[in-house]
Amino acid sequence: MKTLIIGYGNMGQTYANSFVSSRFIAPSDITVLTRSDIGEKTLFSIDKNNFHKTPSKSIFDVDIIIVAVKPQDFSLLANEIKPFIRKEHLILSVMAGVTLKSIQEKLGCDKVVRSMPNIPTQIGLGMTVFCASPTVDRKELFIIQNLINTTGKSIYIDKEQMLNATTAVSGSGPAYVFYFMNAMIQSAIDLGFSKSEAEFLVSQTFIGAVQLQNRSDLSHVEWIKKVASKGGTTEAALKVFDYNSIEVAIKSGVEAANKRAEELGNKKSRFQNRDS
């Protein structure tokens, strides 16, 4: 299955690495179109001759095209590559805020999949949500999901607008986790642990808690009850969290992220329409 990756930043390199390391696509079947010098970037066994700076008919002799450029660069890119796009091409976009319709119109193509990955895709533990235009059939969706799953896990959704909610939950989610971890680390330091001890203590606690929940049929609420014995230390902490409405604050934060994702999506949409 021949694949063209357009853009060789973080996501472009992530996909190249994942495809090759999982042996899902052979390095010889991966072509990269990038305007930047490869320099010290990792090639992941892909031949240097498979890297190109300018589009041409020969490099578009592929089955799947992955568009991994910045959203603001898409309009210019579309003008450059549209002459080489064929109806049978299957397009996978990782551009935030660029709609299926906009991609179809600007590239003159039919089969488009739009995805929203998060940063742990870089280590094969990502969460990606994706949707597709009606012209993408089940077999093609299966192929795309297998490609995406080389970077972690994925969920297919029917409603494209739910990608904004994806951004607010899983896209921004790692930062929420780091925020809570950092607060715990600072607390551990205040209690007398060294910085390295505090970081190790908190990191392993998160890893263990997540794995414990993943390997059990118990809900998060049930696990909280198991850890928080009546009159104990955990209950004392949870009472403070409840008093300070931590759960409400987290929900409000996710809602704010969703609202901002919608605003940014609308701005990009207006810009793209104006630029058409």
Side-chain angles (χ1 to χ4, degrees), residues 21-146:
S21 61
S22 66
R23 298 183 179 180
F24 197 81
I25 301 178
S28 58
D29 286 332
I30 298 175
T31 303
V32 178
L33 176 62
T34 175
R35 65 184 182 183
S36 61
D37 292 324
I38 299 304
E40 297 180 356
K41 292 182 179 180
T42 307
L43 304 185
F44 305 111
S45 302
I46 303 171
D47 193 287
K48 280 189 176 182
N49 292 324
N50 284 20
F51 287 81
H52 303 267
K53 276 195 168 185
T54 56
S56 63
K57 184 179 179 181
S58 60
I59 69 173
F60 281 83
D61 183 21
V62 295
D63 305 296
I64 297 172
I65 299 173
I66 299 174
V67 184
V69 301
K70 294 177 181 178
Q72 59 268 31
D73 296 335
F74 177 58
S75 292
L76 180 60
L77 171 73
N79 289 333
E80 294 177 348
I81 68 173
K82 186 175 181 179
F84 308 106
I85 301 294
R86 303 193 300 270
K87 292 290 184 182
E88 60 268 27
H89 275 142
L90 182 56
I91 312 291
L92 170 61
S93 166
V94 293
M95 299 180 292
V98 185
T99 64
L100 294 171
K101 182 180 179 182
S102 179
I103 296 169
Q104 288 176 311
E105 290 177 348
K106 286 185 175 295
L107 294 183
C109 58
D110 293 328
K111 301 177 181 182
V112 181
V113 177
R114 184 181 165 197
S115 66
M116 180 55 62
N118 65 4
I119 200 167
T121 55
Q122 295 180 11
I123 59 168
L125 292 172
M127 182 68 240
T128 300
V129 177
F130 67 104
C131 61
S133 59
T135 47
V136 179
D137 62 34
R138 286 180 178 272
K139 180 181 178 182
E140 290 165 332
L141 275 178
F142 180 73
I143 291 170
I144 288 295
Q145 185 157 34
N146 281 336

Side-chain angles (χ1 to χ4, degrees), residues 239-252:
K239 283 182 178 180
V240 175
F241 294 162
D242 288 341
Y243 179 80
N244 288 281
S245 302
I246 300 299
E247 183 177 353
V248 174
I250 292 171
K251 289 180 179 178
S252 296

